[in-house]
Amino acid sequence: GEPHYYFVHARNCIYECDYCYLQGYFNSPDIVLYTNHNEIAQEITKTAEMHPDTTTWFHAGEFSDSLALTHISGELGFYFDLFRKLPTAKLELRTKSANIKELKNMTPNKNIIISYSLSPAEKIKEHELKTATYKQRLSCIKILSQLGHPIGIHLDPIIYSHDFENQYETLLNDLAKHVDINQLEYISIGVVRFTKDVFNQVKSNYPDSAIHHQSFITSFDGKVRYKRPVRMNIMKTVKKLCVD
């Protein structure tokens, strides 16, 4: 029920996740970093003021990793200052990066959440090319949490394998060793899915990827994904692991 907006600070990504929806999304693979931060801040402020009685969410990391290039772009301090002035708004910085150098210098904001996308170690090696490793991400989560930064976790996209339940049980146990799970802002769960155009681009860009051996169907809405019973079983199983 809370309003959510994308905060587009950049587009395209230095990483190469073979399932990434950015494939085919833009007409160019060039990385673009936006520098008109004052204009963006005005729009964020205006948008937050449109919803004075509820939390307004702004999500960074949908069109480019939110931390990967911050040592170059240098905008984090600007937005930390901005959101201190917007107590009813929240900013999510979604990432798969170990580049936390700039964040270490920031005074934590209770309304700025560093959210890590996590997959089992095997899946990161197989599908999330050039990203921070499983161990690096867990280490960053521990460091940032100890510094006082609010942490969120995205178990998304989950890619099926016969032992996925054991893989995610291991992941959650490892996560619990690095951070107090009860102190996490949230854990979200999502199963791998594509638009038809992106799936065709994935096949072209990564013809040897094991993802092409998955049992996908084209759903009624045009998305390429698992059959509904498979999706529901994955979601139910991982949700139960999170609760347990």
Side-chain angles (χ1 to χ4, degrees), residues 156-207:
D156 184 11
I158 299 171
I159 299 173
Y160 178 80
S161 59
H162 72 279
D163 60 342
F164 83 92
E165 184 173 357
N166 290 334
Q167 289 182 351
Y168 276 89
E169 184 175 17
T170 297
L171 185 158
L172 289 164
N173 286 336
D174 289 344
L175 180 63
K177 296 173 185 176
H178 287 76
V179 66
D180 182 351
I181 289 183
N182 293 314
Q183 297 299 315
L184 294 174
E185 297 292 317
Y186 45 77
I187 298 178
S188 74
I189 304 170
V191 181
V192 65
R193 64 276 187 198
F194 307 90
T195 64
K196 184 178 179 180
D197 289 344
V198 169
F199 188 64
N200 289 335
Q201 197 67 46
V202 169
K203 289 192 289 186
S204 174
N205 291 344
Y206 301 99

Side-chain angles (χ1 to χ4, degrees), residues 15 44 49 55 62 74 94 105 110 129-131 152-153 156 162 174 202 210 214 240:
Y15 302 136
I44 288 175
E49 290 174 347
T55 300
E62 299 294 329
R94 188 167 181 173
N105 297 323
K110 64 180 181 179
L129 314 178
K130 301 183 180 180
T131 64
I153 300 294
D156 184 11
H162 72 279
D174 289 344
V202 169
Q214 299 282 310
K240 185 176 186 300

